[in-house]
Structure formats: structure tokens, C-alpha cells
Amino acid sequence: MRTSSLVSLAGALSTTYAQVLQGFNYGSVFTNGAPVTRQDYVDRFNTARQLQGTSGFASARLFTMIQGGTANAPIEAIPAAIATNTQLLLGIFLSSTDEAFENEQTALRSAISQYGQEFADRVVGISVGSEDLYRISPTGIENLSNPGEGPDAVVRRINAVRSTISGTILGEKPVGHVDTWTAYVNSSNSAVIEACDFIGTDAYPYFQTTQANSIENGESLFFDAYNATVSVAGGKPVWITETGWPVSGPMSGQAVANLDNARTYWDRVGCRVFGQINTFWFTLQDAFPTAPSPSFGIVGTTLSTTPLYDLSCPADSSSTPESSASSTPSREDASSGATGPSSVPSAGETPVATSNGETPEGPSNGETSNAPSPVQTTPAVENPSGPAGSPNPVPKVKTIVTYTTITTCPVTYTEGAETKTSTTTSAVEVTSTQGSTLATVITSPTSGSGGAPSPPSGANSCPADLSGTFEYPHLIVPVDKEQPDVAAGTSYNGIFSPSVSSIVNFDLPPSLAGRTCSLVFLFPTRDTLQTSNFTLSGSGGIEVTRLVSPATEETTFNNQPAVNTTVNTIPDVQPGNSYTIGSGGCFAGARSSYKVSATGSLDLEYFQDYNPSPIGLYITVC
């Protein structure tokens, strides 16, 4: 059902624009790591223009300025675009080293000098970064070589790119950033929106596994995400820089990857936005020479103008809200987008997962848009798992490693002014939590936690908040005793219920050797949450055990690692508290895995999020 009320296009459209961009995402390397060459780009750009059942796919979004296999040579998509008259949304890859960023800048300068006005005439904008804010969040999914960037770093590099193009033939081109909608609605990232001429948003209902994300709900989930971005964009144009549905791959929540569903999503989302909003679909081809899983390409391993499914749009697919089409020929035009009412979920409908599926971490999509080079860090391959980051989008699940050190002591905890004991107790330390409405409940691990290092002499617990150094989970995997052989894979959510436990991996860097780490569970009240949510029923607490080995995405209830030791039990878990589960010397340079299970009738599910107020399991460092 195509109800026009699902989306507000005003944030993306402006009558000053003469043309709407319509194209695909293009990585810089193939699935085997081989660089995409000039002729490869020419063939792909021509194929996109001639796809059966379509017209107007004459634009290309890039993830990097650097040609694959070089240190800082301009990407060969540029001469291919000139030869085929293809419009380019340039990409500057971030989330790497300063040297790598300077290589991107060098490639940009070289392209301006080498290709001149023919190049400039085909540039529609420059995206500085791709999902950097998402990948640095606890829910992003990325490997350690691409940990993401904070808002200050993204703004600084946006300004650096502006300085590079100032006074050149690209000086008036709009400069923006691409990220997930959940990154934009986080008010702590508002400076990035302010620094942009346009906003690029990525959304993949397929990866939104904490919501009902079957293909029947794909349309509404996508437009909810788009509208949420429009609502915070401050009137700036919002471009769709990545979305799509996989033609093959594993089941993701309720989402099934197959040709029929990919066709349905194209119909209900693509056909509604093509010609209305600047859109870069993910993707034309991601299966050469081999197919990733999931695979989003609308053509298979062989490049062909015959797609894997019918791309013709239904006659009623253009029924969208009143607004005019838009593109962005200049910075002045880019900032002139009008804003209108958008149908965004109300506060009470705060999603318990990010749109990307994102993300998430997932298979790479065939091509990687990186700045591959033996002399610099190579951006990770991105797949839409909730989307893309560097050369190719990657499912969204943030991979930030953290490692925890827990010591052994009796269990005590406090609620308000009352101290409770579940086993032999030791001194109870209660501290205030700065900048938070949470009451701090400090507990110690139960005795017998063999293998956990003893705390340094005189060591105290680290803060039970995120005011200092902290680490997020690298992996959250639910295991269900009622479905003992089902591998749920990576999740954005922690679940503690009578049947489901969550296993959490932390990877702590070697640099934390000799420091103290505390495993904490932060559980604020719902009214303090901005971008997260939780559901709670029943009553009871949690039991935390340390496992003998880390979990993986293939972990199930039946094959989960054995318990090394019981770290702690908190008999009563209530909103408005932060719980210090255990403290001790950090397990620096190692990966630790902890299982959290419910006791009593507790049934809690929450979206792990460090945004105000933080919620979930973290390791704080002091």
C-alpha cells in the first residue's frame, strides 16, 4: 500500500533545482580486492544508463577519491564519468589516519589539476565521510582499522575540504556528509549537520532486526528513517545516499533476502523516490567476481543491462507528497531546500534499533570503496547492513573492541540509601554519578571468579558512568534456550529474559595494560533517553558470568562457550540505576566474553546506546 503520508519530501526538494540525481553507489575495488579500472567504470556507467525497465540512472556516488592500488592517485571513475557524461557525488574517506585523509586531499587536488573543467562540470557534490558517526557509536559495526570519527573530527575535515576547493573550479560545489539517520537524530552530532550544505542518509530496513522488518514493513521503516532525518536537517536538502534490499543472503530478523523481495522494495521505495529525491541505490553490481552475503546487486556476476528482476515502476508509484524535484548545482542551491512537516515517529515510538541494520557489521558488498594502498590504512569494505561507509557499504553493526577485567569479591549493592547483600558482603562504596540522573549501585564480583585478575593494590571502581574513558561492546549475541540451535547473530539490543540471555564480547587494546577496568550496566529511566528505548516487565535481577572463550555470530544456546566463573549477581534491577558489576586490572590486549542472564521473572530488552542517557553494558577505565 503506497500511502503518501509515509514520507515528507520537502526536506530534499527545492524549486530552484532543475534536475534530480538518480544513480548507484560504486566501490573502488572488486570482491577479490582487484582495483576497479577506468574501463570497468565506463562499462558500469553505461550499463546503468541502459538498464532494461529504467531511465535516468546517470549519476554515481563514490566512497573515495583514491584509485585502488595507489597511494593518492585520483580515482579512475573520474575520466570514466567524463567519457560517459556521468554526474559524480565525490567521496572523501575518513575514519582512518591523518595521513590517509591527506592522501584523499592530494587525490582531490590532483583531479582538479588533471581533469579541469570537464571534471568540475560533472561534480554534483562532495561527501566528506561515510557513516563515520555511526561507526563510532556503540551500535555501529566496523572493524578496528576504521573505528569512525566523532562530530568534531568530521566537522574539522569538512572544513579542511572546503579550504582545499576554495577558489578552485569546485569552489561552489556543495559539501556534505553521509551517515545513518540514527547518527543525525543524535543531538550531540548536530554540529555536523550545521557544517553541511546537504545531508546524505543511509537506511536499510533489511538490517533493522530489532523491529518487525519483513518486506511488508520495508516501505514504512525506510520512510520513517528518512523523515526522522528531515526533521533534524534544519531545512537542508536530505539526499538518499544508500538503500536497497538484498537479492540473496541470510535471513535478517524477519527480512528475507531474495529476488521477489528486492523487486518489491524497489517498487515501494525506489519507484516512489526516483525523480523526486536525489537517490543513489545500493547497488548496481556487487557480485564480481564472487557474490558477497548478503548481495544487493541488481545485476549478477556478469555485467548486463538485463537485471535480475523487473525494474519497471508501477503506474501508481509516483504518488508522492506535493513538492518539486531537486538536484544541487551549487552550494547556494544546496542550502535552499525547503522544510515541511515530516511524519516522524513520536517520542513514544522511539525505535529500539537503528535503521541501518545497519548495521551494523555484515558481509561486504562486493566492491570496496577504499583508498587501498600499501602505504595507508585501507577503508573497510562496506555493505549495506545498514549501509555503507567506505568504498562499499557494510551491514551495520559496530565493531569496536573492548576488553574487560573482573576481579573477585563478595556481592553487595545499594539502592538509594539501602544496602542489600546477596552473599557474603564486603564494604559497599556508593558514589554520585556526574551529569546523570542515575543512582550508582556498586557491586563486587562473587567469590570464586577464577581467572579474573586481582585489582592493583588500593584500586577502586572506575566511574559508573561514561564521563571518562570507556569501551563499548564489540559483539552482542542473544541465545535462546527455547530455540537452542538458532544463531541470532549480531544484535543492537541486549535481552535478559526467562528464555533469552545476551553474550557480550569486549576487546580491550594493549594500551590499557596496568589500568583498572569496571564492567558496568547503565539503566536510566525512559524519560531520560533521547535515541534509545527499552521494554521491561516482571521483576528480578541479572547474573553475569565470564565465559571461557568469546562468542561469535554463529553462537547458539547449545554451542555457547562454557562458563569460566560467575562474576556477579544483582538480585533486583530497576530503571534509574547504574550498576558496577566488577572492577579489576584490565584484560589489556585480550577478548573477553560475558553472559548476562535474567533471574526471577525479569524480562528486559534495551537498545545499547551511549547517547544521553547511556544505556547498556560498558567497560569504564581509570
Side-chain angles (χ1 to χ4, degrees):
M1 191 162 89
R2 297 182 175 82
T3 54
S4 62
S5 62
L6 284 175
V7 61
S8 168
L9 302 182
L13 312 177
S14 168
T15 55
T16 62
Y17 298 155
Q19 181 182 16
V20 180
L21 305 176
Q22 187 173 302
F24 295 101
N25 288 266
Y26 296 87
S28 63
V29 300
F30 292 111
T31 55
N32 62 357
V36 181
T37 67
R38 177 186 184 279
Q39 189 58 51
D40 292 326
Y41 284 118
V42 167
D43 292 343
R44 287 179 165 205
F45 293 165
N46 283 333
T47 297
R49 286 176 175 273
Q50 299 165 25
L51 280 171
Q52 294 179 16
T54 73
S55 64
F57 280 87
S59 301
R61 177 194 171 214
L62 307 178
F63 295 91
T64 179
M65 284 300 301
I66 300 174
Q67 173 60 21
T70 74
N72 52 29
I75 190 167
E76 293 180 10
I78 296 171
I82 294 172
T84 59
N85 195 27
T86 296
Q87 297 168 304
L88 293 176
L89 172 56
L90 301 179
I92 302 288
F93 185 75
L94 300 185
S95 295
S96 190
T97 63
D98 289 341
E99 178 186 4
F101 175 67
E102 185 52 39
N103 283 337
E104 291 279 350
Q105 292 267 70
T106 297
L108 177 60
R109 297 185 192 99
S110 297
I112 293 172
S113 173
Q114 182 174 349
Y115 298 110
Q117 194 60 48
E118 284 189 308
F119 168 46
D121 289 345
R122 288 161 179 81
V123 175
V124 297
I126 304 173
S127 170
V128 182
S130 181
E131 296 185 2
D132 306 276
L133 301 173
Y134 178 83
R135 290 201 307 277
I136 203 172
S137 74
T139 56
I141 148 177
E142 199 47 68
N143 61 46
L144 292 178
S145 64
N146 293 297
E149 298 277 7
D152 292 344
V154 173
V155 170
R156 183 171 64 252
R157 289 181 168 175
I158 287 174
N159 291 335
V161 171
R162 286 196 198 286
S163 177
T164 295
I165 64 174
S166 178
T168 74
I169 52 178
L170 297 185
E172 295 305 311
K173 300 298 182 181
V175 178
H177 175 70
V178 170
D179 228 299
T180 64
W181 70 272
T182 50
Y184 291 124
V185 300
N186 175 0
S187 60
S188 68
N189 294 325
S190 61
V192 174
I193 295 176
E194 294 170 5
C196 291
D197 297 319
F198 69 92
I199 305 301
T201 190
D202 297 347
Y204 292 91
Y206 171 78
F207 292 104
Q208 292 181 232
T209 57
T210 59
Q211 294 173 285
N213 68 331
S214 66
I215 189 60
E216 289 75 19
N217 295 326
E219 179 182 15
S220 60
L221 287 175
F222 171 81
F223 286 116
D224 283 349
Y226 180 80
N227 288 333
T229 307
V230 170
S231 72
V232 297
K236 296 184 178 182
V238 177
W239 300 5
I240 299 167
T241 40
E242 282 181 48
T243 194
W245 194 278
V247 297
S248 64
M251 192 164 181
S252 178
Q254 298 175 13
V256 177
N258 60 32
L259 292 175
D260 287 343
N261 288 347
R263 159 67 170 146
T264 297
Y265 191 76
W266 174 277
D267 240 12
R268 297 179 180 178
V269 174
C271 291
R272 287 193 59 195
V273 299
F274 296 146
Q276 304 294 322
I277 305 174
N278 291 339
T279 300
F280 297 87
W281 199 259
F282 194 87
T283 186
L284 176 65
Q285 183 188 42
D286 63 359
F288 181 81
T290 58
S293 180
S295 174
F296 286 73
I298 62 174
V299 300
T301 300
T302 301
L303 191 64
S304 170
T305 58
T306 302
L308 296 175
Y309 52 89
D310 183 9
L311 301 181
S312 58
C313 288
D316 65 340
S317 61
S318 60
S319 60
T320 50
E322 323 68 42
S323 23
S324 51
S326 79
S327 179
T328 48
S330 70
R331 284 189 58 190
E332 180 180 2
D333 289 339
S335 60
S336 65
T339 306
S342 62
S343 51
V344 186
S346 66
E349 299 171 311
T350 304
V352 181
T354 63
S355 71
N356 268 8
E358 31 332 190
T359 9
E361 229 64 274
S364 69
N365 38 25
E367 357 176 321
T368 28
S369 89
N370 65 17
S373 151
V375 299
Q376 68 177 42
T377 301
T378 300
V381 176
E382 294 204 36
N383 232 356
S385 71
S390 103
N392 289 326
V394 176
K396 269 133 195 29
V397 179
K398 178 132 196 164
T399 305
I400 295 191
V401 280
T402 339
Y403 285 71
T404 271
T405 45
I406 304 294
T407 55
T408 67
C409 308
V411 152
T412 56
Y413 66 101
T414 24
E415 291 180 351
E418 183 179 4
T419 299
K420 298 182 178 180
T421 304
S422 61
T423 62
T424 308
T425 66
S426 62
V428 179
E429 178 186 20
V430 181
T431 61
S432 61
T433 305
Q434 295 182 352
S436 170
T437 59
L438 297 180
T440 301
V441 181
I442 297 189
T443 68
S444 339
T446 55
S447 59
S449 54
S454 299
S457 176
N460 295 317
S461 297
C462 300
D465 59 32
L466 304 187
S467 59
T469 302
F470 66 96
E471 301 285 345
Y472 341 85
H474 164 223
L475 186 69
I476 301 176
V477 176
V479 292
D480 188 346
K481 66 182 180 182
E482 294 182 355
Q483 302 181 73
D485 295 313
V486 173
T490 296
S491 175
Y492 298 109
N493 291 15
I495 305 174
F496 318 143
S497 76
S499 63
V500 181
S501 300
S502 289
I503 300 177
V504 180
N505 284 358
F506 286 99
D507 305 327
L508 294 185
S511 59
L512 296 185
R515 300 184 67 180
T516 298
C517 287
S518 292
L519 179 64
V520 301
F521 178 59
L522 309 183
F523 192 20
T525 55
R526 186 177 284 106
D527 62 344
T528 64
L529 299 174
Q530 294 184 13
T531 57
S532 184
N533 202 355
F534 66 84
T535 59
L536 174 65
S537 63
S539 62
I542 57 175
E543 179 184 67
V544 182
T545 57
R546 183 165 180 262
L547 306 181
V548 297
S549 60
T552 70
E553 293 184 359
E554 303 304 317
T555 296
T556 68
F557 182 86
N558 276 345
N559 68 16
Q560 63 183 302
V563 172
N564 178 306
T565 185
T566 298
V567 176
N568 206 344
T569 299
I570 301 173
D572 189 19
V573 170
Q574 296 288 341
N577 292 291
S578 65
Y579 300 89
T580 297
I581 298 168
S583 297
C586 298
F587 284 141
R591 174 169 296 166
S592 297
S593 197
Y594 296 88
K595 179 180 176 181
V596 184
S597 304
T599 63
S601 61
L602 180 74
D603 193 340
L604 170 63
E605 180 172 0
Y606 62 89
F607 175 49
Q608 175 91 21
D609 193 3
Y610 76 106
N611 296 314
S613 288
I615 184 171
L617 289 158
Y618 299 89
I619 290 182
T620 59
V621 183
C622 56

